[in-house]
Amino acid sequence: MGKNVLILSGSPRKGGNSDLLCDEFMRGAQEKGNNVEKIRIAAKKVQPCSACY
């Protein structure tokens, strides 16, 4: 039974060096039987905390 692996790609460019390294890590982890999900942070809207309590 494999593990769940979450990859957060911080590369601002899709297909950039860091993004390609994430893809290679993902491929290797999948080959070992792990469940892998990659999220590109640049494609998400991330805002700071607004202290809404």
Side-chain angles (χ1 to χ4, degrees):
M1 179 173 190
K3 297 180 181 182
N4 293 321
V5 179
L6 175 62
I7 300 171
L8 299 174
S9 176
S11 178
R13 297 182 321 264
K14 187 174 183 177
N17 290 336
S18 296
D19 197 43
L20 291 175
L21 285 171
C22 288
D23 290 341
E24 287 301 310
F25 178 83
M26 182 169 64
R27 185 175 59 84
Q30 287 173 331
E31 287 176 358
K32 295 294 183 182
N34 296 298
N35 180 29
V36 183
E37 180 181 355
K38 178 179 134 184
I39 298 175
R40 291 189 63 247
I41 301 299
K44 302 290 181 187
K45 186 174 182 180
V46 178
Q47 296 180 343
C49 173
S50 62
C52 64
Y53 301 104

